[in-house]
């Protein structure tokens, strides 16, 4: 309802004028969540926010593993919104701060995941980073709850940022990111894991090579861990084509 979203905006930014329409209020609330600095919030806020986000999630609907195309044994390829996926864990392509994206309406996966999960996710990431006391290194991974997402967990990994020519070190770090996520999944009995295309967007890793490394790393892991089911979640048509081709060749 309009009243609820107005209240939510007021909790986070009491001095901001409230727009006229529900759509503008939704956009504003989303933007405010993106720039929010982790801090304590009243219990009322969390209840209202969760009810709001659950309603948003219901509008988008859920995507189940059995609805997806199995392109190789226990391997699924799916083009769609990762925040609708009901699996054990989804992988987030994070940055070194590990707090989510702070750019309002930025179309990155980090923003999409944090936005639907709710501010609890930023708060949990903040606590993890405070304990760690330094930025998150490239190629590692962290597990958090997923809050208002249909998945149970989010695994956050910082992929390599490619500057200029692709180097062997970039490739090794991308493989390390995938391996770190898989290792965390195994340690936490996560059997249905969805990967996004790590490092290919803002981080400029060439899509074809990234997909080749992703498929090989995952398939190597699956030999040792046959019970795990992996979803490659793609957003762009280009990536869908690339993954289809690589997987059909790897059979």
């Amino acid at each position: 309802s309009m009243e609820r979203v107005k209240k939510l905006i007021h909790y986070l930014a009491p001095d901001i004028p409230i727009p006229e329409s529900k759509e503008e209020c939704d956009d504003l609330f989303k933007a405010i969540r993106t720039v929010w600095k982790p801090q304590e919030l009243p219990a009322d806020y969390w209840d209202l926010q969760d009810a709001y986000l659950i309603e948003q999630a219901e509008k988008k609907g859920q995507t189940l593993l059995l609805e997806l195309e199995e392109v190789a044994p226990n391997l699924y390829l799916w083009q769609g919104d990762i925040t609708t996926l009901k699996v054990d864990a989804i992988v987030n392509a994070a940055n070194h701060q590990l707090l989510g994206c702070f750019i309002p309406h930025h179309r990155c996966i980090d923003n999409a995941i944090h936005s639907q999960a709710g501010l609890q996710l930023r708060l949990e990431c903040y606590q993890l980073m405070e304990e760690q006391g330094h930025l998150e290194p490239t190629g590692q991974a962290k597990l958090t709850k997923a809050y208002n997402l249909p998945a149970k967990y989010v695994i956050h990994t910082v992929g390599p940022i490619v500057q200029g020519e692709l180097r062997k070190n970039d490739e090794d770090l991308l493989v390390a990111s995938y391996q770190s996520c898989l290792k965390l999944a195994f340690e936490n009995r996560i059997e249905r894991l969805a990967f996004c295309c790590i490092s290919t967007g803002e981080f400029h890793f060439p899509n074809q090579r990234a997909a080749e490394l992703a498929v090989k790393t995952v398939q190597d892991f699956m030999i040792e861990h046959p019970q795990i089911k992996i979803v490659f979640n793609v957003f762009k048509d280009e990536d869908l084509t690339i993954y289809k081709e690589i997987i059909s060749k790897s059979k």
Side-chain angles (χ1 to χ4, degrees):
S1 71
M2 184 81 166
E3 280 315 301
R4 179 167 61 198
V5 73
K6 277 184 185 173
K7 260 188 198 163
L8 286 164
I9 292 167
H10 189 73
Y11 271 121
L12 298 183
D15 304 328
I16 282 185
I18 304 284
E20 294 293 306
S21 76
K22 171 83 162 70
E23 197 179 337
E24 285 172 306
C25 283
D26 287 337
D27 278 353
L28 177 61
F29 180 42
K30 196 171 191 174
I32 294 168
R33 295 202 305 282
T34 313
V35 298
W36 179 76
K37 291 187 171 54
Q39 58 196 275
E40 286 302 312
L41 285 167
D44 295 357
Y45 170 82
W46 299 113
D47 293 342
L48 267 185
Q49 179 215 252
D50 291 355
Y52 173 88
L53 289 173
I54 286 161
E55 195 175 272
Q56 297 288 91
E58 279 167 2
K59 277 183 206 158
K60 288 194 279 192
Q62 286 189 357
T63 309
L64 307 176
L65 194 67
L66 51 83
E67 294 166 20
L68 308 186
E69 184 192 357
E70 195 175 6
V71 285
N74 283 348
L75 203 58
Y76 301 81
L77 179 59
W78 178 62
Q79 184 177 25
D81 176 356
I82 203 167
T83 69
T84 66
L85 205 48
K86 192 173 169 61
V87 287
D88 298 327
I90 59 173
V91 172
N92 179 29
N95 58 41
H96 292 288
Q97 281 77 28
L98 215 76
L99 297 177
C101 168
F102 278 80
I103 306 162
H105 307 299
H106 195 239
R107 291 175 62 88
C108 66
I109 192 156
D110 201 10
N111 204 351
I113 286 173
H114 273 266
S115 187
Q116 181 54 52
L119 294 180
Q120 294 97 321
L121 186 57
R122 181 165 284 176
L123 209 48
E124 186 178 350
C125 288
Y126 176 75
Q127 284 153 357
L128 280 176
M129 294 308 280
E130 285 290 289
E131 281 165 33
Q132 178 163 290
H134 58 81
L135 293 175
E136 182 69 359
T138 305
Q140 296 185 12
K142 290 265 191 298
L143 183 83
T144 64
K145 289 186 211 153
Y147 301 100
N148 295 292
L149 288 156
K152 289 182 203 153
Y153 300 102
V154 179
I155 294 177
H156 309 258
T157 189
V158 184
I161 299 171
V162 177
Q163 286 153 339
E165 289 288 298
L166 183 67
R167 296 182 314 234
K168 172 78 169 74
N169 187 46
D170 298 320
E171 296 195 345
D172 294 345
L173 286 169
L174 186 65
V175 168
S177 267
Y178 278 92
Q179 285 172 337
S180 298
C181 293
L182 290 161
K183 185 170 174 282
L184 259 188
F186 175 68
E187 287 166 358
N188 291 278
R189 297 192 175 87
I190 288 163
E191 294 197 345
R192 297 170 306 157
L193 176 65
F195 278 104
C196 60
C197 301
I198 302 163
S199 276
T200 56
E202 302 289 309
F203 287 10
H204 308 297
F205 204 106
N207 298 53
Q208 176 73 34
R209 189 66 187 130
E212 287 166 5
L213 293 167
V215 172
K216 183 173 179 352
T217 308
V218 162
Q219 287 189 324
D220 287 350
F221 184 84
M222 289 171 98
I223 295 166
E224 305 284 318
H225 306 87
Q227 77 289 355
I228 200 161
K229 294 178 192 298
I230 300 287
V231 180
F232 286 118
N233 168 245
V234 298
F235 187 68
K236 296 178 180 152
D237 295 342
E238 176 198 359
D239 288 318
L240 185 66
T241 308
I242 288 171
Y243 271 91
K244 269 191 174 153
E245 200 171 284
I246 293 166
I247 293 163
S248 69
K249 278 181 189 164
S250 73
K251 280 181 190 173

